């Protein structure tokens, strides 16, 4: 794991979680210049989620940090990158991996329409969801047929393998060696929590690449296995498990004031972002059982 967190309780918790789960923290950097990146995740009764991200220390991970981790990157079997760090940092990581013969998997989230073309050519596996596919291609994606069209556009930009995930509808897969899009439906499940579907899906891909299994058979089997993980209510060790409502009640008036003043009115973007960060921090603190006022 090559990442950067803040010198705060969240950062300390992440590092401790990594250690407890046998994940190397040699290149998990801490900084005093920003808080640990956090996300407020709201899940509805169908298990679908809405996520608000404050990147924080994520945006301070830089190429100097990557150079310190160069040996680890060059000796890896698979490098997974996304856009919750700066695009320049992810691009450098993919470049380093490709130059060492390491297989690369890129998840373009959060997506941007003007994505650097090199992300496509440096990706052995380019995996996005339907919303990201729409942003990247400008095509509406609301069905497997739409996803096939978008996947062909992405493949034409230089990716070796393209996967467009469609939530409950499954996914579409194609590659340079098998350029005819294949629709892969999945088993229907009652989703409990989808907050980590992208990371878990990427790990499915990593498993395929490490084992050297051929596409699409290995992918189909593992994607269906991944989809069953949506039945789990606690899919990832780093996510909070207990909502402590008693901690948010005392600060509810502050929450409402910030929401009404900054989020329901027209203010400058920095003010809105600060307000969202405040509201999100209060929510996360409540979930984690912490006192926001401290």
């Amino acid at each position: 794991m090559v990442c950067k967190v803040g010198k705060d309780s969240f950062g300390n918790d992440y590092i401790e979680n990594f250690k407890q789960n046998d994940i190397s923290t040699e290149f998990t950097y801490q900084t005093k210049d920003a808080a640990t990146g956090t996300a407020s995740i709201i899940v509805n009764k169908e298990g679908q989620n809405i996520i608000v991200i404050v990147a924080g220390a994520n945006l301070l991970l830089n190429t100097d940090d990557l150079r310190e981790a160069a040996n680890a990157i060059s000796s890896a079997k698979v490098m997974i990158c996304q856009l919750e760090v700066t695009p320049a940092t992810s691009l450098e990581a993919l470049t380093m991996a490709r130059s060492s013969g390491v297989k690369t998997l890129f998840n373009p989230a959060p997506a941007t329409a003007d994505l650097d073309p090199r992300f496509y050519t440096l990706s052995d596996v380019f995996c996005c969801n339907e919303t990201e596919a729409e942003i990247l291609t400008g095509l509406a994606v609301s069905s497997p047929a739409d996803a096939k069209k978008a996947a062909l556009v992405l493949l034409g930009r230089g990716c070796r393998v393209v996967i467009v995930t469609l939530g409950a509808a499954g996914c579409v897969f194609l590659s340079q060696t098998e350029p005819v899009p294949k629709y892969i439906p999945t088993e229907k499940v009652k989703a409990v929590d989808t907050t980590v579907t992208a990371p878990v899906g990427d790990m499915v891909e990593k498993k395929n690449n490490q084992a050297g299994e051929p596409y699409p058979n290995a992918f189909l089997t593992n994607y269906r296995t991944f989809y069953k993980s949506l039945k789990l209510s606690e899919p990832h060790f780093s996510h909070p498990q207990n909502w402590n409502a008693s901690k948010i009640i005392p600060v509810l008036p502050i929450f409402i004031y910030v929401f009404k003043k900054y989020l329901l009115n027209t203010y400058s973007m920095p003010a809105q972002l600060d307000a969202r960060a405040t509201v999100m921090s209060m929510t996360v603190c409540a979930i984690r059982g912490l006192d926001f006022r401290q």
Side-chain angles (χ1 to χ4, degrees):
M1 179 73 71
V2 182
C3 61
K4 185 166 285 186
V5 297
K7 286 191 174 181
D8 49 36
S9 61
F10 289 165
N12 294 336
D13 286 349
Y14 267 110
I15 291 172
E16 184 57 32
N17 272 327
F18 288 155
K19 291 178 178 178
Q20 290 179 6
N21 286 271
D22 297 321
I23 298 173
S24 173
T25 59
E26 181 178 1
F27 303 110
T28 299
Y29 305 100
Q30 282 190 287
T31 178
K32 293 181 179 179
D33 297 330
T36 299
T38 52
S40 179
I41 306 173
I42 302 170
V43 183
N44 66 16
K45 63 182 180 180
E46 284 78 34
Q48 300 302 313
N49 65 72
I50 298 173
I51 306 175
V52 178
I53 295 173
V54 176
N58 288 359
L59 299 182
L60 299 185
L61 187 71
N62 55 48
T63 54
D64 289 337
D65 298 325
L66 295 181
R67 292 188 187 102
E68 289 186 26
N71 289 337
I73 292 172
S74 63
S75 61
K77 292 183 178 179
V78 180
M79 162 68 78
I80 301 178
C81 294
Q82 35 68 46
L83 293 177
E84 288 176 355
V85 298
T86 63
T89 301
S90 278
L91 194 60
E92 178 65 17
L94 291 170
T95 301
M96 292 171 65
R98 175 60 65 82
S99 66
S100 299
V102 177
K103 290 184 178 179
T104 56
L105 190 157
F106 180 61
N107 179 250
T112 175
D114 59 348
L115 186 67
D116 191 309
R118 290 174 290 177
F119 276 109
Y120 301 105
T121 57
L122 289 170
S123 298
D124 289 313
V125 178
F126 190 96
C127 181
C128 60
N129 63 25
E130 63 266 54
T131 302
E132 293 151 3
E134 285 189 355
I135 294 171
L136 294 167
T137 65
L139 301 175
V141 180
S142 58
S143 68
D146 293 338
K148 289 180 180 181
K149 295 176 183 177
L152 283 168
V153 171
L154 296 173
L155 189 72
R157 294 177 181 174
C159 310
R160 295 187 180 180
V161 173
V162 173
I163 299 164
V164 179
T165 60
L166 301 168
C171 71
V172 166
F173 159 90
L174 76 167
S175 68
Q176 294 291 346
T177 56
E178 299 182 50
V180 178
K182 293 180 175 62
Y183 170 57
I184 302 174
T186 190
E187 177 184 346
K188 297 291 184 181
V189 299
K190 179 176 175 54
V192 175
D193 197 336
T194 60
T195 56
V196 291
T197 51
V200 174
D202 289 345
M203 291 308 295
V204 167
E205 286 306 297
K206 180 178 178 182
K207 177 182 176 184
N208 287 344
N209 280 284
Q210 285 180 326
E213 297 182 60
Y215 288 100
N217 294 335
F219 174 76
L220 186 150
T221 300
N222 285 294
Y223 190 81
R224 286 174 175 166
T225 300
F226 143 69
Y227 212 77
K228 292 179 181 178
S229 73
L230 301 183
K231 297 178 182 179
L232 302 177
S233 60
E234 295 176 5
H236 193 265
F237 68 85
S238 70
H239 282 222
Q241 298 177 2
N242 299 307
W243 169 268
N244 193 332
S246 64
K247 295 292 184 180
I248 201 171
I249 291 174
V251 294
L252 206 51
I254 304 173
F255 184 102
I256 295 171
Y257 171 79
V258 171
F259 184 85
K260 288 175 67 177
K261 182 171 182 179
Y262 292 104
L263 302 187
L264 297 186
N265 295 311
T266 303
Y267 275 75
S268 66
M269 183 58 69
Q272 290 183 32
L273 290 176
D274 287 345
R276 288 170 185 165
T278 300
V279 170
M280 191 189 69
S281 296
M282 293 167 63
T283 305
V284 172
C285 284
I287 294 173
R288 297 292 292 272
L290 304 174
D291 191 332
F292 176 79
R293 294 167 297 179
Q294 298 176 355

